[in-house]
Amino acid sequence: MIEKLVKIIVQRLELRAETKTSITVSKMPQDPVAVFMESGTVRLTQVNKHFLERILGGNRAESLTSWFEKAADYGVVIELELYDNGEPWLDYAMLSQLVYPVFTSTGEQIFHSSGQVICYGDSAIIPSGSTLCKYKKQLITPLANEYLTKNNIAVRERQ
């Protein structure tokens, strides 16, 4: 009997790990436990600059803080999806401060390196098909540039 119960629990956990749920930030449930019980990954969609500032700000609303703490307690991966591609409003410095992966509305993951020089080590962690955001003053080493080109990683440049 116990073996059957353990088998059912393991199957349920495996299914949960594979399940991904999308929730619009304007419709985030106050008590997300039901969502966290069913999904291993929750993607918050329609994210704007104000929402990113709330996440990064030390004075974020109590409900938002508890929401993210519950996600961590349940081992849920949180992803953020912008309402557009993030141009021109997305502050690249914000990207380096966020602990959650950020995606455009078309599904491209966005990365940013805060160093003056983007080296191979910075580019090697970026998955193929993603986007690297950089400032004009940031330099890319030849080896990093080769990796970015080879792995179809787009580079966005801003002043």
Side-chain angles (χ1 to χ4, degrees), residues 3-145:
E3 291 173 3
K4 282 184 177 182
L5 185 59
V6 169
K7 185 177 179 180
I8 291 170
I9 292 171
V10 168
Q11 287 174 338
R12 183 110 166 105
L13 288 173
E14 288 172 349
L15 180 62
R16 178 184 173 267
E18 295 172 8
T19 304
K20 190 176 202 174
T21 301
S22 292
I23 300 173
T24 306
V25 293
S26 61
K27 297 180 181 174
M28 288 172 55
Q30 289 292 335
D31 188 17
V33 173
V35 174
F36 295 161
M37 292 293 289
E38 297 294 324
S39 302
T41 302
V42 174
R43 181 173 285 195
L44 299 175
T45 63
Q46 301 288 312
V47 171
N48 57 24
K49 185 175 183 177
H50 175 69
F51 187 78
L52 293 178
E53 288 170 343
R54 283 179 54 205
I55 290 173
L56 294 173
N59 59 351
R60 61 182 165 186
E62 183 65 34
S63 61
L64 186 60
T65 301
S66 66
W67 210 91
F68 284 112
E69 287 174 355
K70 277 186 186 176
D73 291 344
Y74 280 83
V76 171
V77 175
I78 299 291
E79 298 176 344
L80 305 175
E81 181 181 296
L82 306 176
Y83 72 89
D84 60 3
N85 68 358
E87 292 292 343
W89 63 269
L90 184 62
D91 181 0
Y92 291 171
M94 279 184 181
L95 289 176
S96 60
Q97 296 172 4
L98 290 168
V99 295
Y100 309 107
V102 178
F103 296 84
T104 64
S105 59
T106 58
E108 297 175 35
Q109 190 169 359
I110 300 176
F111 291 87
H112 172 70
S113 176
S114 55
Q116 283 290 84
V117 177
I118 299 170
C119 61
Y120 178 79
D122 298 323
S123 63
I125 61 170
I126 302 173
S128 180
S130 298
T131 300
L132 171 66
C133 297
K134 73 178 239 8
Y135 294 109
K136 282 191 183 236
K137 292 182 179 182
Q138 287 180 300
L139 303 173
I140 299 177
T141 65
L143 189 58
N145 197 34

